[in-house]
Amino acid sequence: MTEPEQPRTAPPTGRTTEKGAGKPGSRAAESAEAGRAAGAGVAGKVSRRGTWAKLNPLLRLLILTQLAFNVGFFAVLPFLAEHLGTAIGMAGWMVGFVLGLRTFSQQGLFVVGGALADRYGVRPVVLAGCALRIAGFAWLGYADEDWSVIGSVLLIGFAAALFSPAVESEVARQAVVWEASGGGPRTSVLALFTVAGQAGAFVGPLIGALLLAVDYRVVCLTGAGVFVLVLAGHARLLPQHIPGRERVEVRRGLGGLLRNRRFLALCCAYGAYLLAYNQLYLLLPDEVERATGSQGALAWLFGLSSLLVVAAQLPVTRWAAGRLDLRRSMAGGLLLIALGFAVVGLARPAEWTGTAGLLPAAGFVVLLTLGQMLVAPAARAWVPDLAVEGRLGLYTGAMSSVSGLIVLVGSAGAGALMDADLPAAVPWLVLAAVPVASVLLIPGPTTAGRRK
C-alpha cells in the first residue's frame, strides 16, 4: 500500500506541546499562521471543485468516508423509533430509553475512540469501528426482544465512538498540514467534510424510505452493506502509518486535557451550539405541530437545513476565512443561532397557524443552519491549536463527549421548561440566551487561532 501524497515542505503536525499550545512564537503557531496568511489570500478564489482537486488522496478518502458513514447511518436510524414501537411493540418510554442509550454509547465514548486512535493509529480503530457497525446493523435487523435490541444499539453507537473521532481528528490534522503548505485556510477542508456529512444525511433517509417498503430488516442489512464497502475500501486504501502522526501512550493524557482551560472553554461554547442544534428534535417538532396540527412539515424543514449546508457551506466558509478569525467566526455563528430562537420566541404570543405559523420555524431553521456553518468548521479548526502534542484524537473525542454531556443536561432542562406552566415563548427565549452567554466562554484570540 502506497503512502498518501504529502506536501513537499516539512509539514507541522497541527498539534502543539503543552507549553506551546496556542502561544505566539511556537513552531506550530508560526507555521499555522504562515499557512493561514497564505490561505486567506486565495480564500475567495477557491471553489468547491478547486479545493477538492488540491487535496491529497488521504483527505479525499476521509471526506468520502464521512459521506459513506452518514449514508449508511441515516438509512437506518431515522426509522428505528417507529420500528421499535410498531413492529416490536416497545412501550414509548422504552423506545426513548433505547434511543438515549445509542446516543450515550456514541457521544459519551468519543473520548475513548479518540484516545485509542492516538495510541494505535487511525487504521485499526477505523477498521474495528466499521466491523462493529456491520455486526450491529445486522444484529438489529434480526433483533425482536428488548435485550437483543439494546445490545445491537449499543454496538452501533460504540462503533461510531471508535471510527468517528479517528477520522475527524485526522481530517483536522491534515487540514492544518494543507493550510501550512499554502493550499488555503484549514476551514475550507473542514467545511468540505461537513458538506459530505450533510449530503450523506440527506441521501441516507431517501434510501431507507425506499427500502422500508420491503422490510426494516432489508434496511438494516443495506446499512450493513454500506459499511462492508467502507471496510473493504479502507482495508485497501488507508495507510498503515500516516506520516507525521506518532503513536502515544493513553495514560497521562487526560490530566493535561482537564487542566487545559482554553480547550474546556471551547468545548462549552461548542456544547451550547450542539444544545441549540438538538432543538431540531425537541422544540421544533412541538412548534410545527402547534402551527399545522401535524409534524408533516418537519421533513421539509430538515431537508431545507441539509440543502442549505450542501449549497452554502463552502461559500460561507470562504467569506469567513478572509474576514474573521476563529473566535469571531464562532461568536457570529452563536449570535445567529440565538437570533433564530428569538424569532420564534417573539412570534409565539401571536399564535399564528398554518403557513404563516411555519414562517418563524423556517426562520429558526435557516438562522440555526447559518450559525452552524460558522461555528462547526471554526471549532474543529481550533482544536489542533489547543491540543497537546500527540493527543489530537483524545482532544477531538473529548470535545464531542463534553458537548454531549452538555446536550444531555440542557435538553432535560429544555424539556422541563416545556412541561412547566409557563408562557409558550419562555423555552425559546431561555434557549436564545444560552448561545449569547456562551460567547463569553470562547477562548480569547491567540496567534495560533487567528487568520489575517
Side-chain angles (χ1 to χ4, degrees):
M1 183 180 300
T2 58
E3 297 289 352
E5 179 182 341
Q6 296 292 327
R8 294 182 182 178
T9 56
T13 63
R15 297 162 289 168
T16 55
T17 62
E18 190 167 8
K19 293 182 179 180
K23 293 184 179 180
S26 68
R27 287 186 61 188
E30 292 169 358
S31 298
E33 179 66 14
R36 215 174 265 117
V42 299
K45 302 178 182 179
V46 181
S47 66
R48 183 182 308 181
R49 182 176 299 175
T51 301
W52 177 260
K54 292 169 65 177
L55 300 181
N56 64 45
L58 177 59
L59 267 175
R60 293 185 191 182
L61 174 65
L62 295 175
I63 289 171
L64 289 175
T65 296
Q66 180 71 354
L67 172 65
F69 281 171
N70 279 7
V71 168
F73 177 82
F74 284 100
V76 177
L77 264 294
F79 311 102
L80 177 59
E82 179 69 16
H83 171 71
L84 297 180
T86 57
I88 297 182
M90 281 188 176
W93 71 267
M94 189 64 176
V95 173
F97 177 70
V98 169
L99 295 178
L101 276 179
R102 189 210 62 80
T103 301
F104 173 77
S105 64
Q106 179 172 321
Q107 293 292 126
L109 297 178
F110 258 48
V111 64
V112 176
L116 291 175
D118 290 338
R119 176 64 183 88
Y120 298 105
V122 172
R123 178 185 165 89
V125 176
V126 169
L127 295 183
C130 288
L132 291 180
R133 177 57 64 85
I134 294 166
F137 277 165
W139 186 3
L140 179 62
Y142 290 89
D144 56 5
E145 296 183 17
D146 290 0
W147 68 267
S148 187
V149 170
I150 289 173
S152 62
V153 165
L154 286 174
L155 199 59
I156 289 169
F158 182 60
L162 289 179
F163 57 64
S164 286
V167 170
E168 290 175 13
S169 63
E170 188 56 35
V171 168
R173 197 182 71 83
Q174 291 291 327
V176 173
V177 173
W178 190 75
E179 177 184 74
S181 68
R186 69 180 76 170
T187 49
S188 294
V189 176
L190 295 164
L192 197 56
F193 186 74
T194 299
V195 168
Q198 285 293 329
F202 182 73
V203 172
L206 299 179
I207 296 174
L210 290 174
L211 295 173
L212 197 62
V214 181
D215 183 49
Y216 189 71
R217 179 174 298 170
V218 174
V219 177
C220 292
L221 294 179
T222 300
V226 171
F227 279 89
V228 168
L229 296 176
V230 174
L231 177 63
H234 283 68
R236 175 70 179 87
L237 300 174
L238 197 58
Q240 293 279 359
H241 174 68
I242 299 172
R245 184 155 192 156
E246 302 299 329
R247 299 179 183 180
V248 297
E249 293 291 337
V250 175
R251 293 176 299 175
R252 297 187 296 274
L254 190 58
L257 185 151
L258 295 175
R259 293 191 295 271
N260 192 330
R261 295 182 180 179
R262 292 174 57 77
F263 173 73
L264 294 177
L266 177 65
C267 290
C268 290
Y270 188 72
Y273 146 69
L274 283 183
L275 173 61
Y277 187 83
N278 199 59
Q279 302 317 305
L280 288 173
Y281 310 103
L282 184 61
L283 282 185
L284 182 63
D286 182 71
E287 174 63 12
V288 169
E289 186 159 0
R290 181 206 64 80
T292 65
S294 75
Q295 295 189 8
L298 270 179
W300 295 100
L301 293 176
F302 287 155
L304 172 64
S305 177
S306 293
L307 289 175
L308 275 174
V309 174
V310 172
Q313 177 70 75
L314 290 180
V316 168
T317 301
R318 288 198 300 271
W319 176 86
R323 295 169 177 82
L324 305 173
D325 61 23
L326 299 178
R327 186 181 193 282
R328 289 175 179 171
S329 185
M330 285 196 67
L334 288 167
L335 292 177
L336 280 174
I337 290 169
L339 180 60
F341 281 100
V343 165
V344 180
L346 295 176
R348 191 64 175 79
E351 297 288 345
W352 294 332
T353 58
T355 302
L358 280 177
L359 291 178
F364 165 71
V365 170
V366 170
L367 289 167
L368 176 67
T369 305
L370 289 174
Q372 172 193 357
M373 293 181 199
L374 291 172
V375 172
R380 290 171 178 162
W382 208 337
V383 174
D385 293 332
L386 299 176
V388 173
E389 181 71 29
R391 306 285 181 181
L392 184 54
L394 173 66
Y395 277 66
T396 300
M399 185 167 75
S400 291
S401 293
V402 172
S403 301
L405 180 61
I406 291 172
V407 170
L408 179 63
V409 175
S411 292
L417 287 174
M418 293 174 67
D419 291 338
D421 188 17
L422 296 169
V426 170
W428 291 92
L429 295 178
V430 169
L431 283 163
V434 172
V436 173
S438 69
V439 170
L440 302 176
L441 299 175
I442 303 174
T446 64
T447 301
R450 185 180 293 126
R451 280 196 302 272
K452 292 182 179 178

